[in-house]
Amino acid sequence: MMRAISMASWPAALATLALAALLAAAPRAQAHPMPGAPAPAFTAADIDGRTVDLAAFKGRIVVLEWTNHECPYTIKHYRSGNMQRLQREATERFGAVWIQIVSSAPGKQGYVTADEARRLNAERGAYVTHVVLDPDGRIGRLYHARTTPHMFVIAPDGTLAYMGAIDDRPTADVADIAGARNYVRAALEAVAAGRPVPEPSTRPYGCTVKYAD
């Protein structure tokens, strides 16, 4: 038999209902990706209309690169050819799938249309497998991408092998590339050889990802 709520209990009952409503309305926090854990799954269309389903790449190394062509740190690695060499090495030597992701929102620095992304990569000689535009930040927030560049290497078994900076020189100076320790290359070599990645997580550096407010 249902018990009637006494007048004295109404404030507590209303507070409980209000809290439940707030919790239901609150956005669900995304768990931080962690090296050794399954990489967050996503499906998207690339700038050429092809489906990019992370699960479909199981058995291959996948590299995710967050980019913003107007960011001085990104410009450093493209103007020097450093990023393109790494892309080519990853895809040709290691057979990796390289996915370049743009999470800049419309009106924000680094936002591009599909045509602009295509033109930029052609001019820079980029060597990527897919370019994904993520203006609503869905994939960026899924990976907690913070900077451009921010790099992720996913092992063939679908686990996250590396997340962080491209190298150990957090500057926008092209001269600093010489002699830098490239974390992504080290991760690729380790994963391909079946060895533990020496530094599976480093602090990313660069411009903040320009998400929608």
Side-chain angles (χ1 to χ4, degrees), residues 26-27 30 33 46 54 69 72 94-95 109 112 122 125 135 152 155 161 165 186 195 206:
Q30 301 280 4
D46 73 5
L54 187 63
H69 71 286
F94 300 104
Q109 184 197 58
V112 289
F152 297 80
R195 293 185 276 104

Side-chain angles (χ1 to χ4, degrees), residues 102-106 111 133-141 211-212:
V102 182
S103 292
S104 294
Y111 172 78
L133 304 184
D134 180 42
D136 62 1
R138 177 178 62 89
I139 305 171
R141 290 190 171 95
Y211 291 115

Side-chain angles (χ1 to χ4, degrees), residues 8-17:
S9 300
W10 272 108
L14 289 174
T16 301
L17 287 172

